[in-house]
């Protein structure tokens, strides 16, 4: 994504935070994790590899009509963060040392998780075209309810 307006970025970040807060109270996570979240959010908002842009364009118009692009973008980023948090916890639990964590950290985990999260988010949005309860649930977490 080349040009991101401040309004677009602010909305994406707010939606992502709202969705995350429904699962993890973000104001209670350690500072280093909050920094990791901010880095992830920035990287996925910038979308330098255009994976999100291509994923959005690949959605049927009937799915894109359900949510504004920035809301879907924030929803996707939150899903990526929540999945990454679970994987990081699993790695931390299994690792014998910090070196083991660092080694596993660079094995493409982030890329796989963010790609999978985009696919999963798109799948949910497509399904919500015929599942009103799912759509209402997505909209509720986007608004932080």
């Amino acid at each position: 994504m080349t040009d991101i307006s401040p309004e677009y970025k602010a909305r994406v970040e707010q939606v992502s935070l709202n969705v995350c807060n429904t699962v993890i109270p973000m104001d209670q996570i350690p500072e280093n994790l909050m920094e990791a979240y901010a880095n992830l959010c920035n990287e996925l908002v910038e979308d330098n590899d255009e994976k999100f842009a291509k994923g959005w364009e690949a959605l049927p118009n009937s799915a894109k009509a359900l949510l504004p692009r920035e809301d879907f973008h924030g929803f996707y980023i939150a899903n990526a963060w929540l999945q990454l948090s679970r994987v990081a916890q699993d790695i931390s639990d299994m690792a014998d040392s910090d070196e083991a964590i660092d080694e596993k950290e660079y094995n493409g985990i982030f890329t796989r998780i963010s790609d999978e999260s985009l696919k999963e988010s798109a799948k949910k949005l497509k399904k919500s075209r015929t599942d009103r309860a799912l759509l209402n649930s997505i909209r509720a977490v986007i608004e932080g309810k």
Side-chain angles (χ1 to χ4, degrees):
M1 198 176 252
T2 51
D3 293 325
I4 303 168
S5 73
E7 296 81 15
Y8 181 93
K9 185 176 182 186
R11 179 63 183 169
V12 169
E13 290 171 350
Q14 184 60 57
V15 166
S16 181
L17 197 57
N18 287 350
V19 174
C20 287
N21 268 321
T22 62
V23 179
I24 302 169
M26 295 295 282
D27 59 345
Q28 295 176 16
I29 66 171
E31 189 175 322
N32 62 337
L33 284 180
M34 197 59 185
E35 186 178 322
Y37 167 77
N39 290 338
L40 170 84
C41 195
N42 284 334
E43 187 171 331
L44 295 180
V45 167
E46 289 170 5
D47 194 30
N48 290 328
D49 55 10
E50 296 189 346
K51 287 182 182 178
F52 175 78
K54 290 174 184 169
W56 175 258
E57 290 307 314
L59 286 170
N61 287 336
S62 57
K64 290 192 275 191
L66 298 174
L67 291 176
R69 180 184 176 127
E70 56 271 23
D71 286 6
F72 181 68
H73 203 160
F75 181 74
Y76 146 62
I77 290 171
N79 283 316
W81 168 251
L82 295 170
Q83 288 181 23
L84 191 62
S85 298
R86 285 189 288 265
V87 169
Q89 184 60 48
D90 291 346
I91 289 171
S92 177
D93 291 346
M94 293 183 312
D96 297 327
S97 66
D98 286 343
E99 289 79 11
I101 293 171
D102 290 341
E103 192 177 308
K104 289 184 179 186
E105 192 172 69
Y106 295 105
N107 288 335
I109 291 173
F110 169 75
T111 302
R112 267 195 327 274
I113 288 174
S114 61
D115 290 351
E116 190 58 37
S117 178
L118 182 56
K119 288 178 194 170
E120 191 177 303
S121 297
K123 192 177 190 180
K124 285 179 183 175
L125 187 59
K126 286 181 199 176
K127 185 175 184 204
S128 72
R129 293 179 295 176
T130 58
D131 184 341
R132 186 57 64 180
L134 177 59
L135 179 59
N136 290 339
S137 176
I138 290 171
R139 286 180 173 160
V141 295
I142 283 172
E143 293 305 320
K145 297 177 184 173

